[in-house]
Amino acid sequence: MTAKAVRLEGVSVHLGGQLIVDSISFHVPAGGIGCLLGASGCGKTTLLRAIAGFEALSAGKILLDDTEVSVPGQSLAIEKRRVGMVFQDHALFPHLSVAENIAFGIQSVALAARNARVAELASLLEIEDLLNAYPHRLSGGQQQRVAIARALAPRPEVLLLDEPFSSLDVELRETLAREIRQVLKQEGITAILVSHNQFEAFAMADEIGVIKGGRLLQWDNAFNLYHTPSSLAVADFIGEGVLIAGHKVGDHAVETELGIIDTRQIQDFNLPDSEDISLLLRPDDVFHDDASPIKARIVEKAFRGAVFLYTLQLASGTRVLSLAPSHHDHAIGEPMGIRLDVEHLVAFPRLPLV
Amino acid sequence: MSANALVTPRSLRPRLFSIEPWPLSLLALSLVLALPILVIASSVFFPAGDIWEHLLDTVLSRYVRTSFALLLGVSVGVLALGILPAWLVSAYRFPGSKIFEWALLLPLAIPAYIIAYTYTGMLDVAGPLQSGLREAFGWRYGDYWFPEIRSLGGAICLLSLVFYPYVYLLARAAFAEQSGRVLEAARSLGCSQRAAFLRVALPLARPAIVVGLSIALMETLADYGTVQYFGLSTFTTGIYRTWNGLGSSVGAAQLAALLLCFVFLLVSLESWSRRQSQFFNSGGRARASSKQSLRGRGLLLAYLACGIPVTLGFAVPFVQLVLWAIITADSILTAEFLTYLFNSVFLASTTALLALFLALFIAYGRRSYPSPASTLAGRILGLGYALPGTVVAIGVLMPFAWFDNRLSEFMIARFDFNTGLLLSGSAFILIFAYLVRFLPIAMNTVDAGLGKIRPSMDEAGRSMGMRPLALLKRVHLPMLRGSLVTALLLVFVDVLKELPATLLLRPFNFNTLAIRTFELANEERLADAAGPALAIVLASLIPVILLSRSLRQAGATRDSVET
């Protein structure tokens, strides 16, 4: 298998005269797994279809390794791209059995080799027992495995997955996502998936691009997206958190309602130029500490098994989130001592309305 | 409609022998309308004298062979004409593709016998084409070879031209329903668009195509006007001949029973394929953007594949009819013509109203009292659409004539008063036969409309304090109105076009547009036949327009979902 790198340079796509994808560039190395993450209607699926060759570009170019496959007005035919695609609704062929579905793309291969490939994929995806069944008899998860086996059969250079887990049960999603990641890594294949679910993206991808309104906001790994979002929009989309008001004191400190933060102790911290700033606080930045002089009243609490997620109201009325081990069971309305413990911190110039 | 119609069933447990009046009357109604089938089927138990020996010796094998050849030829014809355009308009975008999408349905508006008369008028020896050729090349009759239109081959071509829309319609719906994703999946696995058609789209559409094919073949078996005019010996002409010429009603009924066997084979094929196609429905929606544009040779091919059926199946005969109608304009609008028109409209509208009323009665009955009995009644009533007009006519005529004869015998003996052919000699029997044949059309339309009003809407209305009658008026009627109008129109037009049953059952000296067209054509006054024929075609355009509009709307909603 020769996995190829995927490179997009300033790709724009118009659909029906409307700009859907707006000059997006990114790069997934050979064998890497990338994810396009965004709310529905943000253009991520259109972008994926453009990479597959189903949509034409209005600007920019798409390269597989060093070969241009899509430029405005010209596009390598889909069937010649060697790009496999897994569809949101699986799109299995209802008139063919599972084995015939998997073998669909390798008809030109000799029968023995074809059967060997089908058997190999069936064992890889653990669907050996289903080979003679027809798609309508399969559960959603089984259909998903067959769809992936079918797309992998012709040994594509790049595999594209469109919302691959959206039709599955929540419990099944992350398990299958991790499992599929292993299969892809084992086959050494380059993959790009589209998702609106950050946990799915975290479970599966090496690097994630957050897309909003047709624009790529940030292309980074999951850890950095969470801890150092490049914009408010990314911070808002990834993970839970609240913005609290801060005020610059000198060059290396920020004063907040929860105390003064010494910014020299925080890695990779860029303080904005403006005096008034907003700080993104994740629930794990706010610690429960009965000894702390800062008290906040519990407004809401959500039980999450090992932890409680508390929503707390500060004296000024600002609300923050805090994760506390679940043996710290406090009632709503009670005051709770908290302190800040930040290793990562993101600051933005304060927006007028925040 | 009684207020009871909206009450949920008193017992949720279905009972076969329910004492509810509604299912019982449904069953009774279905038995009355199934009378023709029962009569025909039971005719095989009556001795028919030596008529069978006579038929076997002479013509029976010819009936079977010709009918089979016709079925086979029309199968090839409708598949060849219907599938490719359906694929082209659903998978490709090219200038005019939107127009072809509905224009390909137009031949449905031309009854088979009318296209036969028109083409014969154009293509036979005295027609404009051959006359023109003779004049241009100085030939004389017999000097040159010209295909004989009045032949089995001619009938196959012409029937294919008017029946291919059934295949087109169902194939197109199947192609449109296939989610674009399934085709895209095939392409991403290395298939070209053509290979994707052959390996995925066509196999997936196969059950739907078979449904379309079996409907086209039922129409072929039912055709009387074309084969009669071309002098072909098929089942329908044979039945007519045995009835009228040989005067053997039992023999004709037994021939009809044989024909029924073929029809039921087709009906079972159709319903089996319908079940298959649910199975093959991949769900999802097609994407407008996945339509490819065509250029060069492909575009030319598309214009040929879409243009030929529309031109030959509609444009040419329609223009010819208009030209003839202009030539004979003076003799068209006579008092006679108005009588035919009035008779046709009278029969068609009476049948349409009765059919609508019965269809509503049946639909509400089945909705309010779902029981095996009412399901069975629905099944029996639904069979009529497959019955050829000749079969219905004989199945209706035999019992009614028997009743009339017994009645008049009794009346003469008792009161010395001859009631004559009280039922079988009046328009009553004609309307009864139409109902047997066309009630299923009204039923399907009303059922589809009523299906959109979910029981939970009734319950919601009732829970807001609406009384049943108010619910009917404020919820059901507005939601059903479109379906009711459609049902009326469809039955109206079908009655207007109907030929063989009308021919056998009409009261003495009672003419309709269809009968007049038939008579004039058989007197070789083809140009004079254009007037009534054109009236029928124009009326038949109405349901075709309705159909194409619903296609366009379905397309529009699909497109608007896209953006």
Side-chain angles (χ1 to χ4, degrees):
Chain A
M1 183 151 326
T2 50
K4 286 195 176 167
V6 180
R7 179 183 295 281
L8 275 72
E9 293 179 6
V11 168
S12 295
V13 180
H14 283 78
L15 283 185
Q18 234 180 330
L19 181 66
I20 305 293
V21 173
D22 187 2
S23 51
I24 285 186
S25 307
F26 65 80
H27 173 249
V28 179
I33 301 179
C35 175
L36 305 172
L37 181 64
S40 62
C42 73
K44 58 191 191 303
T45 295
T46 305
L47 182 58
L48 193 79
R49 291 171 55 78
I51 301 173
F54 292 126
E55 308 289 355
L57 306 193
S58 46
K61 55 183 169 182
I62 299 173
L63 301 97
L64 297 185
D65 277 356
D66 296 322
T67 321
E68 288 182 2
V69 291
S70 284
V71 292
Q74 219 178 344
S75 156
L76 184 67
I78 309 145
E79 59 267 26
K80 295 184 182 135
R81 248 176 222 225
R82 302 193 52 77
V83 165
M85 180 124 181
V86 176
F87 293 84
Q88 185 172 3
D89 56 4
H90 316 313
L92 296 179
F93 303 126
H95 62 303
L96 300 177
S97 71
V98 166
E100 288 165 333
N101 261 288
I102 299 176
F104 188 92
I106 47 175
Q107 290 302 304
S108 51
V109 176
L111 187 65
R114 201 190 311 161
N115 289 339
R117 180 69 176 151
V118 171
E120 179 192 356
L121 286 165
S123 91
L124 192 63
L125 287 149
E126 295 169 10
I127 46 174
E128 295 103 321
D129 300 340
L130 307 174
L131 285 178
N132 292 318
Y134 279 81
H136 66 273
R137 298 242 178 258
L138 305 184
S139 70
Q142 289 169 333
Q143 290 193 13
Q144 186 58 16
R145 288 165 192 267
V146 176
I148 289 170
R150 182 181 69 176
L152 287 177
R155 302 180 194 278
E157 287 155 357
V158 176
L159 184 68
L160 305 176
L161 305 101
D162 182 8
E163 297 272 3
F165 309 110
S166 63
S167 58
L168 306 182
D169 294 340
V170 182
E171 304 94 71
L172 204 58
R173 277 186 202 173
E174 276 179 63
T175 349
L176 194 59
R178 270 192 295 275
E179 210 180 310
I180 299 298
R181 177 182 163 86
Q182 277 204 320
V183 170
L184 296 180
K185 287 294 176 193
Q186 204 170 324
E187 292 260 306
I189 196 165
T190 314
I192 298 178
L193 80 145
V194 151
S195 177
H196 65 269
N197 179 324
Q198 46 182 312
F199 300 110
E200 219 171 272
F202 294 165
M204 194 132 161
D206 303 329
E207 291 197 308
I208 298 163
V210 180
I211 298 182
K212 190 180 180 188
R215 302 190 65 96
L216 181 64
L217 300 178
Q218 190 174 357
W219 182 267
D220 220 323
N221 62 37
F223 190 86
N224 289 344
L225 281 181
Y226 186 80
H227 288 294
T228 55
S230 67
S231 64
L232 238 135
V234 175
D236 194 38
F237 193 78
I238 303 279
E240 291 161 316
V242 289
L243 290 168
I244 61 164
H247 189 76
K248 229 171 359 180
V249 186
D251 286 340
H252 305 294
V254 176
E255 188 185 3
T256 73
E257 218 181 329
L258 294 170
I260 290 175
I261 301 166
D262 183 350
T263 56
R264 278 170 301 191
Q265 291 175 0
I266 300 170
Q267 312 162 10
D268 307 325
F269 184 71
N270 297 315
L271 209 52
D273 288 336
S274 55
E275 286 288 298
D276 290 321
I277 57 178
S278 294
L279 292 170
L280 173 68
L281 286 186
R282 298 294 191 187
D284 54 336
D285 295 331
V286 180
F287 264 74
H288 174 42
D289 182 0
D290 287 330
S292 167
I294 305 167
K295 302 282 183 206
R297 201 168 52 82
I298 299 171
V299 191
E300 274 171 36
K301 69 175 190 180
F303 181 60
R304 295 205 174 161
V307 291
F308 273 115
L309 177 66
Y310 287 106
T311 306
L312 307 167
Q313 191 160 31
L314 303 176
S316 67
T318 309
R319 290 181 175 193
V320 294
L321 298 172
S322 170
L323 280 179
S326 63
H327 54 264
H328 290 286
D329 188 4
H330 297 276
I332 289 176
E334 262 180 54
M336 195 169 111
I338 51 170
R339 70 179 158 78
L340 275 184
D341 183 8
V342 282
E343 267 178 56
H344 306 271
L345 191 59
V346 192
F348 305 99
R350 196 184 307 171
L351 294 173
L353 281 175
V354 172
Chain B
M1 199 60 43
S2 121
N4 261 347
L6 300 163
V7 181
T8 37
R10 266 161 242 174
S11 156
L12 289 171
R13 190 164 47 90
R15 282 169 297 177
L16 183 55
F17 300 105
S18 161
I19 41 155
E20 305 280 4
W22 207 308
L24 272 186
S25 47
L26 268 185
L27 209 53
L29 175 69
S30 64
L31 284 179
V32 170
L33 287 175
L35 192 65
I37 302 186
L38 296 177
V39 168
I40 297 288
S42 57
S43 71
V44 291
F45 301 113
F46 290 94
D50 50 3
I51 197 82
W52 270 97
E53 265 166 51
H54 173 71
L55 285 175
L56 273 175
D57 285 345
T58 52
V59 288
L60 188 65
S61 70
R62 199 161 74 221
Y63 294 159
V64 174
R65 257 184 298 141
T66 317
S67 290
F68 259 108
L70 202 59
L71 288 180
L72 204 66
V74 172
S75 303
V76 174
V78 294
L79 292 178
L81 289 175
I83 297 176
L84 191 57
W87 170 246
L88 289 169
V89 299
S90 30
Y92 296 95
R93 202 183 349 227
F94 50 91
S97 59
K98 285 252 150 92
I99 295 172
F100 278 125
E101 218 165 331
W102 57 265
L104 278 157
L105 292 172
L106 286 174
L108 273 184
I110 302 198
Y113 56 93
I114 289 182
I115 201 175
Y117 304 153
T118 317
Y119 269 97
T120 307
M122 287 189 297
L123 298 181
D124 73 358
V125 181
L129 189 65
Q130 289 202 47
S131 311
L133 284 174
R134 284 197 296 271
E135 221 160 273
F137 296 99
W139 294 333
R140 281 189 312 168
Y141 175 66
D143 284 355
Y144 58 96
W145 179 84
F146 196 85
E148 172 56 58
I149 180 76
R150 290 202 198 192
S151 63
L152 181 63
I156 288 173
C157 290
L158 295 181
L159 292 181
S160 301
L161 278 175
V162 287
F163 295 148
Y164 83 83
Y166 293 112
V167 171
Y168 164 78
L169 196 59
L170 279 138
R172 193 196 146 283
F175 290 138
E177 244 172 51
Q178 291 170 5
S179 69
R181 301 255 156 73
V182 176
L183 291 180
E184 286 176 354
R187 310 239 10 224
S188 75
L189 290 165
C191 283
S192 66
Q193 184 89 341
R194 184 183 305 179
F197 169 65
L198 290 176
R199 290 183 60 196
V200 177
L202 195 57
L204 281 182
R206 200 190 56 217
I209 292 173
V210 173
V211 171
L213 177 66
S214 31
I215 297 175
L217 293 184
M218 286 178 213
E219 293 278 355
T220 306
L221 275 182
D223 170 75
Y224 172 75
T226 309
V227 287
Q228 182 271 342
Y229 191 59
F230 284 6
L232 298 175
S233 298
T234 63
F235 273 113
T236 44
T237 51
I239 291 168
Y240 198 88
R241 207 175 297 151
T242 312
W243 176 272
N244 264 355
L246 300 175
S248 166
S249 52
V250 178
Q254 290 177 351
L255 262 183
L258 197 56
L259 174 56
L260 266 191
C261 295
F262 291 109
V263 170
F264 282 127
L265 275 183
L266 287 174
V267 172
S268 356
L269 178 68
E270 188 211 341
S271 59
W272 181 76
S273 298
R274 273 194 203 278
R275 282 198 301 275
Q276 287 295 99
S277 71
Q278 288 170 356
F279 220 50
F280 275 17
N281 188 352
S282 50
R285 57 196 169 82
R287 290 180 75 102
S289 58
S290 65
K291 285 193 180 184
Q292 294 200 327
S293 348
L294 276 175
R295 258 182 253 107
R297 277 220 335 247
L299 187 61
L300 185 70
L301 181 84
Y303 280 134
L304 284 178
C306 297
I308 288 176
V310 182
T311 313
L312 295 184
F314 182 76
V316 170
F318 187 74
V319 169
Q320 179 65 75
L321 282 177
V322 171
L323 289 179
W324 278 337
I326 293 172
I327 298 173
T328 57
D330 295 340
S331 54
I332 288 180
L333 277 178
T334 57
E336 268 186 322
F337 179 82
L338 290 179
T339 315
Y340 310 143
L341 185 67
F342 175 79
N343 286 345
S344 280
V345 170
F346 163 72
L347 285 177
S349 46
T350 312
T351 312
L353 283 171
L354 277 174
L356 179 66
F357 177 75
L358 289 177
L360 276 170
F361 171 74
I362 295 162
Y364 273 99
R366 288 171 64 183
R367 179 185 168 97
S368 312
Y369 302 98
S371 70
S374 50
T375 311
L376 180 70
R379 284 271 169 75
I380 297 174
L381 286 167
L383 282 177
Y385 83 106
L387 299 179
T390 27
V391 175
V392 173
I394 287 174
V396 171
L397 199 46
M398 287 174 70
F400 279 47
W402 178 86
F403 174 82
D404 280 347
N405 288 336
R406 294 293 91 77
L407 183 71
S408 67
E409 270 171 28
F410 172 79
M411 295 298 271
I412 289 172
R414 205 65 185 273
F415 306 105
D416 196 23
F417 174 72
N418 190 355
T419 49
L421 299 173
L422 186 68
L423 297 179
S424 56
S426 67
F428 173 82
I429 190 173
L430 204 47
I431 291 175
F432 184 84
Y434 289 150
L435 281 178
V436 172
R437 182 125 157 78
F438 300 129
L439 179 60
I441 295 171
M443 276 168 57
N444 283 342
T445 319
V446 170
D447 272 347
L450 204 57
K452 282 185 225 139
I453 309 174
R454 290 191 305 278
S456 59
M457 294 185 190
D458 287 5
E459 286 157 12
R462 298 295 296 275
S463 73
M464 284 179 272
M466 252 190 235
R467 291 157 55 107
L469 268 176
L471 195 60
L472 265 185
K473 211 169 101 191
R474 290 177 54 195
V475 179
H476 287 218
L477 193 60
M479 286 187 75
L480 273 180
R481 193 172 290 141
S483 310
L484 301 187
V485 173
T486 310
L488 274 179
L489 275 172
L490 289 179
V491 176
F492 182 89
V493 171
D494 266 321
V495 172
L496 210 62
K497 292 196 287 192
E498 212 289 330
L499 180 64
T502 319
L503 210 52
L504 276 166
L505 297 179
R506 68 193 163 126
F508 185 66
N509 252 344
F510 184 86
N511 276 336
T512 66
L513 290 174
I515 296 288
R516 193 60 193 149
T517 311
F518 170 83
E519 285 179 350
L520 286 169
N522 276 279
E523 292 165 20
E524 300 299 332
R525 292 166 61 192
L526 291 172
D528 291 324
L534 198 60
I536 295 174
V537 170
L538 289 176
S540 308
L541 274 174
I542 299 169
V544 175
I545 291 168
L546 282 182
L547 193 61
S548 59
R549 207 174 55 181
S550 72
L551 282 189
R552 258 209 315 269
Q553 276 165 356
T557 39
R558 255 206 320 283
D559 287 349
S560 66
V561 168
E562 288 311 312
T563 46

